[in-house]
Amino acid sequence: FLFKNVFNTDMLNDLNFEIFVNFGSFLAILLIFWKDIVKLITSFFTYTFNKKKRETTKKDFKYCMLILIGSIPVGIMGALFKDKIENALNIKLLGVAFLITALSLFLIKNVKGTKKDEDITYKDAITIGLLQMVALCPGISRSGTVLVGCLLCKLNRETALKYTFMLYFPVSVASMGLGILDFIESPANTSLLTPYLLGMFAAGVVTYFSYKWLSSLVKKGKLWKFSIYCLCLALFIFIYFR
């Protein structure tokens, strides 16, 4: 949305372009967590249909359920209020949202949890899922909000980082599903296919390296640097669009 307002071009206001860009980000995160995703999906179906192997796959099955439970609140909220949320978005609100994200990340910069994957409870998943609903507010960082929730639930930094991005997949798949329906109703202009694909590639590369940067900050306990990034974006908005 910020780029749309800074670079006011028809392509950036094109819904099809958004679909391609979101798909690029999805592929980047999928690439990073490919092994975890395959393992979790395999364990889920093995636990469900093979009683003899339930004991060995119980831990991964529970993790799948934690992802599902953590995704339900934002799924319900998004389905009910999608149009209202999108219509509420404006550039000044985006600046306020960046400020909120910056403050939240700064306040929990020294929080240290001890919980690992197997220690996450269903109560934690519900709490984090409810906090993820806040990220539906335009401009609030989803990953930042979920990270805050994870750390407040006393997950250790690596566990918090992994669960944050595991929760990304259900939300992303649902968003892409809705996007594909819109895409069918409004097919892409074939003359813009090359810019679409370049945008998708760029989004994938940026997402990949952004994750690496964020991962490094989280593991080193330096989330305050990401809060400075959000603060700078907020100040840019307030100055540029004053």
Side-chain angles (χ1 to χ4, degrees), residues 178-202:
L178 293 173
I180 289 171
L181 292 177
D182 292 331
F183 182 83
I184 293 171
E185 294 178 2
S186 177
N189 185 338
T190 53
S191 65
L192 292 175
L193 187 58
T194 298
Y196 287 155
L197 292 174
L198 288 174
M200 183 177 74
F201 177 76

Side-chain angles (χ1 to χ4, degrees), residues 67-171:
I67 294 172
L68 177 62
I69 291 171
S71 302
I72 289 173
V74 72
I76 294 173
M77 202 72 171
L80 292 176
F81 301 105
K82 177 178 179 290
D83 293 336
K84 290 184 178 180
I85 291 169
E86 289 178 351
N87 292 333
L89 182 57
N90 63 69
I91 196 65
K92 292 296 178 65
L93 181 61
L94 186 66
V96 173
F98 280 129
L99 277 179
I100 293 172
T101 301
L103 180 61
S104 300
L105 292 172
F106 184 78
L107 290 176
I108 54 92
K109 67 182 187 302
N110 294 322
V111 174
K112 294 181 181 179
T114 57
K115 291 182 180 179
K116 298 181 180 180
D117 289 349
E118 59 271 20
D119 301 318
I120 304 175
T121 66
Y122 290 116
K123 180 182 176 181
D124 293 333
I126 293 171
T127 302
I128 295 166
L130 291 173
L131 276 174
Q132 188 175 206
M133 289 195 305
V134 177
L136 287 173
C137 297
I140 299 288
S141 168
R142 192 210 66 85
S143 56
T145 303
V146 176
L147 266 175
V148 169
C150 289
L151 293 173
L152 289 177
C153 287
K154 303 301 180 183
L155 276 61
N156 70 38
R157 289 167 181 164
E158 291 191 15
T159 300
L161 187 69
K162 178 182 174 183
Y163 189 59
T164 293
F165 283 92
M166 286 295 128
L167 284 180
Y168 164 81
F169 286 102
V171 174

Side-chain angles (χ1 to χ4, degrees), residues 43-54:
S43 296
F44 179 84
F45 285 105
T46 299
Y47 182 92
T48 303
F49 298 108
N50 192 335
K51 293 182 180 180
K52 294 180 180 179
K53 294 186 178 181
R54 281 191 171 178

